[in-house]
Amino acid sequence: MARKPKQQRSKATVDAIVEAALIAIARQGPSATTARQVADIAGIGVGSLYEYFEDKDAIFNAAGARFVDDTVAMIKPLTPELVRMNIRDAVSKLLFTFRDFLEENNQLYLKCARHAFSQDMVMHQEPINRALMDLFTQYLMHHPELLRMPNIPAVAYFYINGGIFTVIRHLSEEKPTQGFEELTMVFGDLLASYAEHKLGASNATQ
C-alpha cells in the first residue's frame, strides 16, 4: 500500500512526481505515458514512485487534482475585483487571466487540459465549476438588479462551461480564425446584452 508523505522530504518527492506526471502528459498524453517515464522526469527510481502511489492511475488522479486546485486558486483572488466591474470588463478580465494561467510554464496546463477535454484523461472539474459558480453568485449579490433576469442557472451553466471550453479550444488551434480579444468581447457583449434586454423587458411589464 502506498504511504502518505509526512516529512518535508517525502512531500517534496510527491510534488516532484506529480509535476513530472503533468510534464509527461503534456508531452505525449496520458495513454502514452508510463510510470518509468514519470520516474525518470522526477529523477527517482520506479520503486520510489510506488512508495507513494499505488499505480499509474493514482498518479494521474493526483496530477488532475493539482491542475484543478491551481485553477481554483487562480479564480478565488480575482473575485473581489471582478464583482465590482461591469459585465463586459469582468468577463474579459476572467478569460484573459485564465488564458495567461494556461500558457504559463510553456503551456503545461493547456496541454494537459486538451487531453481532459478529449476524454483521454479523467479530470474532476467540479471544484472549478463551484469556484466559478461562487464568483457568478457573488457578482449577482453585488448587482442585485441582475437577479431579475430569467433562467439564471442556465445562463451560469452556459458561461461557465462555454467559457472554459472556448478558451482551451482557441488556444489549442495553430491558426485560430478569430483573435482572443474578439472572443472575449463577444462573450462579454452577449451576456451584457442578454441582461440589458431581459431587465428592460422586465421593467416594461412592471
Side-chain angles (χ1 to χ4, degrees), residues 61-134:
N61 286 339
R66 171 75 61 83
F67 171 86
V68 169
D69 289 346
D70 286 352
T71 304
V72 171
M74 176 270 297
I75 295 169
K76 287 188 174 180
L78 290 173
T79 300
E81 178 183 3
L82 295 179
V83 297
R84 290 172 172 78
M85 293 180 170
N86 63 53
I87 292 175
R88 291 177 174 86
D89 290 343
V91 169
S92 177
K93 173 74 174 180
L94 178 60
L95 293 182
F96 268 98
T97 303
F98 186 44
R99 181 200 65 176
D100 294 344
F101 167 78
L102 290 173
E103 292 192 325
E104 290 177 356
N105 300 321
N106 193 31
Q107 297 187 331
L108 177 64
Y109 278 158
L110 172 61
K111 293 170 184 175
C112 291
R114 289 172 185 164
H115 295 292
F117 271 82
S118 66
Q119 306 211 349
D120 194 19
M121 177 183 178
V122 175
M123 191 176 290
H124 302 289
Q125 301 174 45
E126 184 57 31
I128 298 176
N129 292 339
R130 283 201 307 268
L132 289 170
M133 180 58 75
D134 181 64

